[in-house]
Amino acid sequence: MNPALPIDAVLPTLLQQLSRSGSCLLVAEPGAGKTTRVPLALLQQISAQQASVQQGRWLLLEPRRVAARLAAGYMAEQLGEAVGQTVGYRVRGEQKISKATRLEVVTQGILTRWLQDDPALDGVTGIIFDEFHERSLDADLGLALVRDVQQGLREDLQLLVMSATLDVPALLAVMPQDTPVVHCPGRSFPVHLLYRPVALQDRLEQQAARVVREALQAHAGDLLVFLPGQAEIRRLQRELQDLATSGVLVAALYGQLPLPRQQAVLRPDPEGRRRVILSTALAESSLTVPGVRVVIDAGLERVPVFQPRSGLTRLDTRRVNRASADQRAGRAGREAEGWCYRLWSAEQLLVPHGEPEIMQADLSGLVAELAAWGIKDPQQLDWVTPPPAPAVAVGRQVLQQLGLMDDRMGLTPLGQKARRWPTDPRLALLLEKAAEMQALPLACWLVAWLEERPQGDDPDLLHRLEQRPQKATGGSDGRWYQAARLWAQRAGCTLELQRLDVAAELLLCAYPDRVALRQGKVEATSGGADQVSYKLVRGGQAFLPASHPLARSKWLMVLDLDGQASGARIYQAVALPDAVMAPRLPAESDWQVRVYWEASQQRVVGEEVQALGALVFARRPLQQMPAEAVARALLEGLRERGKLPWSEADLQLLGRLKLLQRVLGDSWPEVSEAALLARAESWLLPRLQGITRLEQLQKMPLGQWLLDSLDWSQQQALARLAPVQWRVPSGSCINLDYSGEEPVLAVKLQEMFGQTTTPVIVDGRVPLLVHLLSPARRPVQVTRDLAGFWAGSYFEVRKELKGRYPKHPWPDDPLQAMATARTKKAQQQSG
């Protein structure tokens, strides 16, 4: 009999709400049992309602392959069946399903391909998005496409989104109207937090090893250690290898481990030994590791970050967010009271949540999927987080350069053809070109390497290919072989290499923007060894040790960099023969006009060049720069700069517009710097004709141009709702200050005699913050309550300032006194 879990108490409500509404959000804390209990309950409900068990298939989406396999295995075990009967799974390169399967556990990327092949999802009753808080790119895209299917093809398709921490308002904004939200508490015990920061002179694994030994002595139960990646896991394993003699098992857990080894870690040790489990973020959610009483958290995670400048995605090691840190700590309190050692100081500030992958990923694959779906503008779909317009533009540019997308944002015939390969657009193109060149075995090895990135210190990929594994061994080379064999099965070919000579040409088809040209030799920053500098076709420099054979190559195809802005290290590359590069180089008569922003000179520069991307072989001055090109180059320079040269008066206008947008909402445009630059084509670009220098633009009326972009009714309303000046009781018209969070009226105290009500703007919605000034124009009181000031604080101010400013009136009754901007003598003379 299964033990009771917190989710059991809310299952009847959840099933009822989902059946009634067709969609639901489930916020279930860690340990509630949502991943395995909810899908099985839905299957039972379908069986009770339908005569045939062959109908009513559900899809459960998991963020990782290991989570999908393990969840399917656990649920099948609960039913007393083998995986592939009622419950099966489908991940990249592997599936266990049958005609009897009614619950398929799939990874999130599988759903997108499934939807493209069968938008109506025939035979599918509903879809469950599990652990949606991780906000992977595949999950965001999948939800947007499912919502499109619901609205256009399948109103009956049920949708359940669940996680421990959901952004409920953002999700409700894209879910069907009146989508219910069900909350479920978790099952957890107190977890005590202890901080053990890593000293500057120590390596992470040294401190982690010390804390592991401390925790083994202080507490019972197994230990779960969170580390950013496999390299750190291997180093810590070496630091802890002596623990085996004391009966402690040190085990690793990460996504690329073979499934049997992953499953072994998720069960108690059959010999009864204490365990120290070294894991990546894999164990943070989706998986429960039994027996854990202590968590040791390095507080780091490794995430892919796309670098538009280099066109490469690098793995960035950074501090975890607070939600992830709490998730990790909670693993110690699943079964009993626990302890969490954090390898950072208690004063360390963590950001509340992680950034969705859609905000930092290469979006060329997403753009290709949208084009295949028939979507030209991503705004046509409902997104929890819309894809950033600049990243979408870069993705389109990449696809057009590859010949996969046309100028109308649709897929070309080559793009349509390449879609038969279920992988990234670049790799799909590589496979398609290889098919034309009868080099599919080579392409299978290349694509498998580019997807799996097996470990190794040799930067020369062609040399790695010559030393490729010949069978499914352990480790990363074994995974490379398995992935290559899977691609060979898809392509209908063997893995026997016969045409290694075309590897460079194939890679150049897929990565034309990763070419690098040898520049010369430089001295290394440390160690004293020489390095060779290469200039990248997209700009920037990268380096190879001068002693490496690749460093003698004039041209390289750079496949992996460390992502540094300058002095980047080349991790993986292929030499490009001159014969391969020659067709892509400019001819003697091939001159390109280039008009661009030169940041160092703060001006637009025009020239003619013979070039390949950023690699310029010859240049000459441009006699006359096209006006449209000048304007666009200036605009790109402003976007690179990140701000416009506003005058003080312009900043006041921006403050007025920001206030109205904040108070009145979307009826007023957003005027943040980023928003204005994003839509600058409509209001600024037409005005930039003939302006080539920043100093020229600084003299232009930017504020007036922005004001002119508003419609007539908005211009009239702006003057009324957020006036430039305010007439005070003395008769003076005082300029309001909109530069801060609140509008300010700074006025001499004597000019406000008799005024008891605080002035308000925006049709009475926003009170002015009144700065009452001394005769020397120094603030003596800041208030939104004038009546209260006159009745109380005024007399303290009067007492303090009357002797300092005797020429100015300080009446006993300020409410009956005449408001004035003059001295007493000037008042008498005018009277």
Side-chain angles (χ1 to χ4, degrees), residues 217-235:
Q217 290 290 326
H219 312 291
D222 294 340
L223 280 63
L224 177 60
V225 185
F226 283 101
L227 295 162
Q230 295 178 41
E232 291 81 4
I233 287 176
R234 289 194 298 273
R235 289 197 292 267

Side-chain angles (χ1 to χ4, degrees), residues 576-590:
L576 296 174
D578 288 343
V580 172
M581 285 302 302
R584 295 177 179 262
L585 298 180
E588 286 292 327
S589 59
D590 185 11

Side-chain angles (χ1 to χ4, degrees), residues 253-411:
L253 177 62
Y254 50 86
Q256 293 181 325
L257 274 178
L259 180 60
R261 290 180 60 185
Q262 292 173 347
Q263 291 174 323
V265 174
L266 299 176
R267 297 190 180 99
D269 180 57
E271 299 179 22
R273 292 173 293 182
R274 291 188 71 183
R275 299 183 301 161
V276 177
I277 300 162
L278 313 182
S279 177
T280 61
L282 176 67
E284 186 178 305
S285 60
S286 302
L287 308 177
T288 295
V289 185
V292 171
R293 299 291 183 274
V294 179
V295 164
I296 299 172
D297 185 4
L300 300 171
E301 62 182 350
R302 193 155 289 145
V303 294
V305 179
F306 180 59
Q307 304 289 304
R309 183 176 179 181
S310 66
L312 296 170
T313 296
R314 67 180 174 90
L315 288 175
D316 187 21
T317 302
R318 65 186 185 189
R319 183 69 61 187
V320 297
N321 59 77
R322 190 166 64 243
S324 291
D326 291 343
Q327 280 270 92
R328 294 178 178 190
R331 296 280 147 177
R334 285 294 183 89
E335 299 172 336
E337 181 182 22
W339 289 263
C340 175
Y341 291 82
R342 290 177 165 175
L343 305 188
W344 66 89
S345 68
E347 293 75 25
Q348 173 76 50
L349 295 178
L350 304 179
V351 297
H353 297 282
E355 191 174 50
E357 187 183 2
I358 202 169
M359 298 299 294
Q360 56 193 10
D362 175 5
L363 297 188
S364 56
L366 178 140
V367 172
E369 293 292 352
L370 293 181
W373 193 254
I375 295 292
K376 296 182 179 180
D377 180 3
Q379 299 305 316
Q380 293 175 251
L381 296 178
D382 294 331
W383 300 91
V384 180
T385 301
V392 170
V394 170
R396 287 172 177 162
Q397 183 181 7
V398 167
L399 295 177
Q400 289 172 342
Q401 184 180 11
L402 296 176
L404 302 176
M405 176 171 275
D406 57 33
D407 293 338
R408 295 173 294 177
M409 307 308 164
L411 294 181

Side-chain angles (χ1 to χ4, degrees), residues 505-521:
E505 189 172 349
L506 284 175
L507 289 167
L508 190 56
C509 289
Y511 299 101
D513 51 348
R514 298 188 186 177
V515 171
L517 176 63
R518 193 180 194 272
Q519 300 294 293
K521 187 178 291 186

Side-chain angles (χ1 to χ4, degrees), residues 579-645:
V580 172
M581 285 302 302
R584 295 177 179 262
L585 298 180
E588 286 292 327
S589 59
D590 185 11
W591 290 91
Q592 307 170 27
V593 173
R594 286 194 175 177
V595 178
Y596 59 93
W597 175 257
E598 178 53 64
S600 63
Q601 302 177 36
Q602 296 288 282
R603 69 184 183 93
V604 175
V605 173
E607 60 183 2
E608 289 182 295
V609 298
Q610 291 178 339
L612 178 66
L615 306 177
V616 177
F617 308 106
R619 55 175 25 108
R620 64 190 184 192
L622 184 63
Q623 298 303 316
Q624 184 173 0
M625 295 188 291
E628 177 67 19
V630 169
R632 288 205 168 273
L634 177 56
L635 179 55
E636 288 309 308
L638 292 171
R639 283 174 170 158
E640 182 181 315
R641 188 171 179 261
K643 59 181 179 179
L644 292 163

Side-chain angles (χ1 to χ4, degrees), residues 143-162:
L143 183 60
L145 296 182
V146 168
R147 286 290 298 121
D148 198 39
V149 168
Q150 273 189 320
Q151 295 172 75
L153 292 173
R154 290 282 311 276
E155 291 184 0
D156 64 314
L157 183 66
Q158 297 185 52
L159 175 59
L160 173 61
V161 181
M162 57 186 196

